[in-house]
Amino acid sequence: MKAGPEFGAEEGKWFIVVRALYGLKSAAAAFRAFMAEKLDNAGFKSSMADPDVWMRPARKPDGEEHYEYILMYVDDMLSISINAKQHLVDLQTGTVKYKKGKIEEPETHLGLKLAKKEIDERSCWTITSVDYINAALKTLEQGLEGRIWKIKNKATTPMQSSHAPELDDTKELEG
């Protein structure tokens, strides 16, 4: 990073940021506790498997039962529901504000690319880690540069290249 005018005599010099501090060490925990209370008050319960996955039972307009989810990671929120945008609007108060002051359909979440698709005449969201994996491989390749190890161009995989998990309609979570 290049030092700006706020560095006085060091301006223009290049330096490496080892650790950047944003707020207090306890800020993330305090924000999580704050949002946990808001989500709990809205009827969402934290999942035992992952405390950052919040869910509540709901009913679709046609009477079908389902769960609504809000995924939290630090200050990233993703709402999964027929009324996803409304849930985020309901959480917004004077102390909860959204990036750019608005709620938008997501393009990515935690490095994964999201896309809206039509499958069997139903609108649904799909998720792919292709961009994330490509970035990870690039980082790995740079780390291996000049060493004896190399990444294989064609690695074997247990899945067929035509596998499309987003099309799997297995009723695995129904009990």
Side-chain angles (χ1 to χ4, degrees), residues 58-106:
R59 194 174 297 277
K60 293 181 180 178
D62 66 3
E64 182 184 349
E65 293 179 341
H66 72 289
Y67 278 90
E68 298 173 318
Y69 297 93
I70 291 187
L71 311 179
M72 290 283 306
Y73 184 76
V74 187
D75 63 348
D76 282 341
M77 285 182 14
L78 180 66
S79 178
I80 303 169
S81 171
I82 290 173
N83 301 313
K85 188 171 185 176
Q86 187 58 49
H87 295 167
L88 296 175
V89 168
D90 292 345
L91 290 171
Q92 189 169 352
T93 63
T95 52
V96 176
K97 293 185 172 41
Y98 296 115
K99 188 188 254 184
K100 300 177 193 170
K102 58 186 173 181
I103 299 169
E104 301 175 309
E105 288 189 349

Side-chain angles (χ1 to χ4, degrees), residues 122-140:
R122 294 179 77 178
S123 181
C124 65
W125 286 90
T126 62
I127 192 167
T128 177
S129 58
V130 171
D131 292 345
Y132 179 83
I133 290 170
N134 286 338
L137 285 172
K138 184 176 179 182
T139 300
L140 182 59

Side-chain angles (χ1 to χ4, degrees), residues 151-165:
I151 298 174
K152 289 183 180 181
N153 286 336
K154 287 281 184 182
T156 57
T157 175
M159 292 188 199
Q160 297 175 351
S161 61
S162 62
H163 180 65

